[in-house]
Each structure stands twice: as structure tokens, then as C-alpha cells.
Amino acid sequence: MEKRYETVFILTPVLSDDQAKEAAKKFKKTLTDLGAKIINEENWGLRKLAYPIQKIHKAHYVLMNIECNQETLDELEHAFRFNDAVLRHLTVKTKAA
């Protein structure tokens, strides 16, 4: 069954704006290849972090609202975990509109 999720991930500031967009595009492709539906995607750009992570004070933020099954979500989480450009990520289940 397809459920809706909201995922936010932050990418290292070492990446340029274009590289950050390309990384987000790669995650988006991973999702669509597995049959997920991207409802909304927002690139918040380079922002100051609430607290330093690995002595980094700024990062690229990306938000995605997706509709997918658990296997697709697990694959996305796996992709986040093994990508060095991703500093943090958070996915929460949302109510269907």
C-alpha cells in the first residue's frame, strides 16, 4: 500500500548549487525508478545549521513529499546512508490529503 512521507535531507556545503541539485535529482530518480510518486520537491538552498555537524555550519537543504511503499522507502534510506554528501536525513509519515 502506498503511503505518504515527507523527507528532508541536508547535503554538505562543499557541493556547489548545481552539484546539490544533481544529488537531489539522483535521489528523485531512485524513487521514481522504484515506482514512487513525487508530490512536491523544494530546494531550500544553502542555509545555516541549527548546530554544527562535523564542524560544518551551513548545508544545502532539500525537502520532498513522496508517495511510496515501504520497500522503496527502505531503498531511499539506504541511499542516504551510503552517500557521503548527505550529512543528515529525516523521513516522517504524513497523513494523506
Side-chain angles (χ1 to χ4, degrees):
M1 175 160 171
E2 304 283 311
K3 294 181 181 171
R4 287 197 176 186
Y5 299 95
E6 181 174 278
T7 186
V8 176
F9 55 97
I10 55 176
L11 303 167
T12 180
V14 174
L15 302 176
S16 69
D17 284 341
D18 290 337
Q19 289 172 321
K21 287 178 185 173
E22 194 60 40
K25 197 172 164 184
K26 189 176 97 175
F27 291 125
K28 191 174 174 180
K29 183 176 177 350
T30 299
L31 286 167
T32 53
D33 287 351
L34 294 169
K37 180 179 168 189
I38 309 292
I39 298 163
N40 181 36
E41 179 187 9
E42 296 177 20
N43 187 337
W44 294 344
L46 193 62
R47 299 245 173 147
K48 188 175 186 296
L49 296 170
Y51 56 90
I53 299 172
Q54 301 166 4
K55 298 182 182 177
I56 295 171
H57 298 276
K58 287 188 172 188
H60 296 277
Y61 282 72
V62 180
L63 165 88
M64 283 188 202
N65 295 92
I66 57 178
E67 193 172 284
C68 65
N69 58 26
Q70 187 61 46
E71 292 78 28
T72 303
L73 190 63
D74 291 342
E75 191 61 38
L76 179 66
E77 295 282 325
H78 184 265
F80 284 151
R81 237 179 266 119
F82 290 101
N83 188 322
D84 292 337
V86 177
L87 295 176
R88 292 281 192 278
H89 65 278
L90 176 70
T91 303
V92 292
K93 184 179 167 190
T94 58
K95 291 185 178 183

